[in-house]
């Protein structure tokens, strides 16, 4: 089973650039083209939030159009730039039935065969920070307790501080409670996140939490206390998570025009 993770797509209304500079739609089209050229092709795609930039229905409609060539099940996670209502209005019908099981929060469980996927909603409407309240955490605890198959948890805000201060300032409230809930569950294979627009890994509650790069702009790496936030056009990318032999093997794949591949011999 091959799961492709894309994150922080930040799709704008047609013809608009993010921050006046970034053509997020063109960059996502390039990522989708790269994914459709893969052999083997991913079995499923997981999009870990900030799907669009302003939470508008026209942005979700454009996003859906850009994702169509993937032609595999696509599981969406809400991020701080998303709006639950227009997201659900656009992403419905065949292929998105999993959203029907979500209540107020966009949380749902998916059977991926040998693997189980639990999607969490960390959104605080109108704010950049994330939150896991008691209700959302109880749902997670119940889902983890009811099924001992290897499980992936997907959420937009990572449950750890990264050292990039301006991003940590809009981090995840409830991260400590989250960690104490997941720690006893040895079948939790990985925590897949977005929000940071970089590839980052950290141990959380005995498993690995990881952040996927953005398909568009990246957050500039600046570990100085007090450093102001900035983005940088480092290579965009996605991650491929291969479930093989009872392990999840994660590859980070930049998207761009690179020379090669060349044979070693
Ligand atoms: Fe983002
Ligand atoms: Fe975000």
């Amino acid at each position: 089973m091959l799961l492709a993770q894309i994150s922080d797509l930040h799709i704008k209304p047609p013809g608009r650039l993010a921050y006046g500079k970034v053509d997020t739609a063109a960059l996502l089209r390039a990522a989708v083209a790269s994914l459709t050229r893969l052999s083997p092709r991913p079995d499923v795609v997981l999009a870990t939030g900030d799907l669009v930039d302003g939470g508008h229905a026209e942005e979700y409609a454009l996003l859906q159009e850009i994702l169509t060539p993937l032609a595999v099940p696509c599981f969406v996670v809400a991020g701080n730039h998303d709006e639950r209502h227009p997201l659900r209005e656009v992403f419905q019908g065949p292929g998105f039935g999993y959203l029907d099981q979500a209540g107020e929060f966009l949380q749902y469980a998916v059977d991926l065969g040998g693997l189980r996927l639990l999607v969490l909603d960390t959104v605080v409407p109108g704010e950049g920070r994330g939150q896991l309240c008691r209700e959302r955490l109880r749902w997670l605890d119940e889902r983890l307790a009811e099924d001992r198959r290897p499980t992936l948890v997907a959420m937009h805000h990572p449950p750890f501080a990264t050292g990039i201060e301006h991003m940590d300032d809009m981090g995840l409230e409830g991260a400590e409670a989250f960690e104490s809930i997941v720690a006893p569950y040895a079948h939790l294979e990985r925590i897949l996140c977005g929000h940071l627009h970089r590839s980052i890994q950290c141990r959380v509650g005995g498993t690995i939490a990881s952040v996927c790069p953005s398909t568009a702009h990246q957050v500039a790496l600046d570990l100085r206390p007090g450093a102001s936030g900035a983005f940088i056009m480092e290579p965009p990318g996605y991650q491929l998570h291969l479930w093989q032999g009872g392990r999840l093997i994660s590859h980070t794949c930049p998207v761009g025009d690179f020379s090669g591949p060349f044979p070693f011999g």
Side-chain angles (χ1 to χ4, degrees):
M1 212 282 300
L2 187 60
L3 181 149
Q5 183 184 1
I6 56 177
S7 200
D8 294 272
L9 326 173
H10 286 267
I11 294 301
K12 299 284 287 184
R16 298 267 306 278
L17 303 178
Y19 308 104
K21 284 186 166 53
V22 188
D23 190 345
T24 53
L27 288 161
L28 181 57
R29 287 186 203 280
V32 167
S34 170
L35 287 166
T36 57
R37 282 195 300 268
L38 290 174
S39 180
R41 291 272 291 269
D43 299 294
V44 295
V45 171
L46 171 70
T48 42
D50 287 355
L51 308 171
V52 303
D53 201 54
H56 304 302
E58 62 178 332
E59 298 174 329
Y60 288 110
L62 176 56
L63 169 63
Q64 198 174 34
E65 178 214 310
I66 297 172
L67 295 179
T68 299
L70 290 171
V72 293
C74 186
F75 301 106
V76 294
V77 182
N80 52 295
H81 283 258
D82 291 301
E83 291 281 347
R84 296 180 188 122
H85 183 68
L87 188 162
R88 298 171 92 138
E89 285 282 292
V90 174
F91 283 81
Q92 54 177 299
F96 299 101
Y98 59 86
L99 288 175
D100 295 343
Q101 64 171 283
E104 176 198 349
F105 301 115
L106 226 151
Q107 304 201 143
Y108 54 89
V110 179
D111 187 349
L112 299 177
L115 270 179
R116 199 163 180 244
L117 171 66
L118 303 178
V119 168
L120 288 179
D121 180 338
T122 56
V123 171
V124 182
E127 296 192 36
R129 72 187 174 105
Q131 182 186 58
L132 284 174
C133 58
R134 209 174 282 175
E135 186 181 344
R136 284 176 267 193
L137 287 169
R138 188 183 336 114
W139 181 91
L140 173 66
D141 199 9
E142 289 169 359
R143 298 292 81 69
L144 285 169
E146 73 188 4
D147 193 322
R148 300 289 163 154
R149 276 178 297 169
T151 298
L152 312 177
V153 164
M155 56 205 282
H156 181 65
H157 295 80
F160 60 91
T162 63
I164 302 175
E165 197 175 273
H166 69 98
M167 294 300 291
D168 292 340
D169 287 345
M170 50 173 176
L172 180 65
E173 182 189 326
E176 284 179 19
F178 169 88
E179 183 164 18
S180 63
I181 283 172
V182 301
Y185 293 113
H187 63 296
L188 176 53
E189 188 67 33
R190 194 68 53 85
I191 302 162
L192 301 173
C193 311
H195 190 54
L196 263 292
H197 293 232
R198 305 194 63 78
S199 173
I200 307 172
Q201 295 79 36
C202 179
R203 180 163 64 87
V204 172
T207 192
I208 301 166
S210 76
V211 179
C212 181
S214 170
T215 54
H217 49 290
Q218 311 305 309
V219 168
L221 179 58
D222 193 336
L223 300 175
R224 293 173 298 172
S228 54
F231 68 87
I232 184 168
M233 299 315 292
E234 289 176 357
Y238 54 80
Q239 290 181 325
L240 290 176
H241 304 287
L242 174 64
W243 179 245
Q244 179 178 274
R247 295 181 190 273
L248 192 75
I249 305 107
S250 299
H251 300 267
T252 299
C253 313
V255 176
D257 292 322
F258 309 111
S259 61
F262 306 108
F264 284 113

